Amino acid sequence: MHEMSLCEGVVQLIEDQSRTQNFSKVKTVWLEIGALAGVEKEAMRFSFAAVARDTVAEGSKLEIIDVPGLARCPACARDVQVSARYDDCPDCGHYPLDIIAGEEMRIKELEVQ
Ligand SMILES: [Zn+2]
């Protein structure tokens, strides 16, 4: 389950921020997850609670924000929404498309104490 190591990365970032920005407790974490990032949201929630234990993020609420997958079709030059990395163009059927959004995962905001 790679969500566990992804959560370790997220919690590490939060711990780093707690030192530079001087907070000792996180109440809510807003995490953006792209539709093409290959991340299981339920696994993410489960892993986050486990990894956050004994850190400033312990007991914090994880709010997941879905970021849609977006791609540009090199054939018809349109931006189209995709749900999978290997989708073809819904307009002209061209494949492959250039993915422009939805592959990333990042902390959007932290509510701290
Ligand atoms: Zn197209």
Side-chain angles (χ1 to χ4, degrees):
M1 191 165 72
H2 76 140
E3 280 79 6
M4 195 61 95
S5 56
L6 289 174
C7 282
E8 282 168 3
V10 168
V11 170
Q12 186 62 54
L13 276 172
I14 295 171
E15 289 260 88
D16 290 348
Q17 287 200 17
S18 76
R19 280 189 285 272
T20 55
Q21 294 174 34
N22 288 311
F23 58 83
S24 56
K25 178 113 187 76
V26 178
K27 285 168 74 179
T28 314
V29 179
W30 281 270
L31 193 65
E32 283 187 338
I33 300 180
L36 312 177
V39 176
E40 277 286 337
K41 283 189 281 185
E42 279 319 302
M44 205 65 194
R45 286 183 204 284
F46 174 82
S47 305
F48 183 78
V51 172
R53 211 167 288 147
D54 297 324
T55 74
V56 294
E58 179 167 11
S60 63
K61 203 163 123 198
L62 182 65
E63 295 277 5
I64 293 176
I65 302 164
D66 294 302
V67 179
L70 200 64
R72 180 161 297 148
C73 175
C76 64
R78 285 188 45 151
D79 290 351
V80 296
Q81 199 161 317
V82 291
S83 55
R85 196 180 295 261
Y86 303 110
D87 278 2
D88 50 19
C89 178
D91 288 336
C92 72
H94 181 87
Y95 173 87
L97 302 174
D98 301 323
I99 303 296
I100 50 181
E103 288 185 298
E104 63 287 312
M105 186 186 81
R106 70 181 190 99
I107 299 169
K108 185 174 170 63
E109 206 181 323
L110 294 175
E111 185 188 2
V112 301
Q113 264 175 349

